[in-house]
Amino acid sequence: MSKHIDKSYLYSLPSGAYVHPCRLIHKDGTLMWKHALLSNQRTLHLPIDECHEQHIIKTAQRLEELNSWCSHDLEPWQSFIPYAWYSPSDTDLKEGICVYFTHSVYSNDSIFDLLLPHIQEHETLEQRDNLLFFRRC
């Protein structure tokens, strides 16, 4: 991270890394740290240990892979929009392996139908209310 950014603007992760909220989790991806750590863009939840940090990184990688099936042009505005990802107090979200999301362009029904054949045995994709729910393990 740049030496010119005041550390008070950065998130301190258990691995010792400092990341800006708008930094991409994966280079050339679409998901930022704020997507994983800010529930509903309001409440900040930093990972409590390196295991949860790694779960978030691996889940982001898998979501980027799944997004490539939906957004063939890979334009940054054609991507998943996470609504809730990591929250230690939520039973579904306490490990960083589950995400509630929608897509910025396509309906939940079309994304669900498109992604279902690409979901692996150990993964889950469900429609819950007006959001999609993905579980990596």
Side-chain angles (χ1 to χ4, degrees), residues 16-87:
Y18 289 92
V19 295
H20 190 275
C22 294
R23 181 177 179 188
L24 297 174
I25 298 173
H26 287 282
K27 184 179 179 181
D28 299 327
T30 59
L31 300 169
M32 296 179 237
W33 279 102
K34 69 178 183 175
H35 292 134
L37 304 179
L38 288 172
S39 295
N40 295 320
Q41 298 293 323
R42 285 178 277 190
T43 308
L44 175 65
H45 299 287
L46 293 174
I48 55 176
D49 57 35
E50 281 191 65
C51 179
H52 292 160
E53 180 181 342
Q54 287 303 310
H55 284 317
I56 291 167
I57 292 168
K58 290 176 183 175
T59 302
Q61 179 180 7
R62 183 63 178 134
L63 286 172
E64 298 289 4
E65 291 170 2
L66 291 172
N67 187 48
S68 69
W69 291 103
C70 308
S71 307
H72 300 290
D73 297 333
L74 296 176
E75 297 293 349
W77 55 86
Q78 294 179 347
S79 61
F80 295 142
I81 303 171
Y83 284 87
W85 189 333
Y86 178 72
S87 176

Side-chain angles (χ1 to χ4, degrees), residues 122-137:
H122 62 279
E123 297 174 333
T124 304
L125 181 67
E126 301 172 358
Q127 292 192 46
R128 295 188 180 180
D129 298 322
N130 59 345
L131 298 172
L132 293 169
F133 175 79
F134 173 74
R135 179 186 307 274
R136 190 171 52 82
C137 304

Side-chain angles (χ1 to χ4, degrees), residues 94-106:
K94 67 183 179 181
E95 296 179 36
I97 60 173
C98 301
V99 181
Y100 287 94
F101 69 98
T102 62
H103 194 274
S104 62
V105 177
Y106 304 110

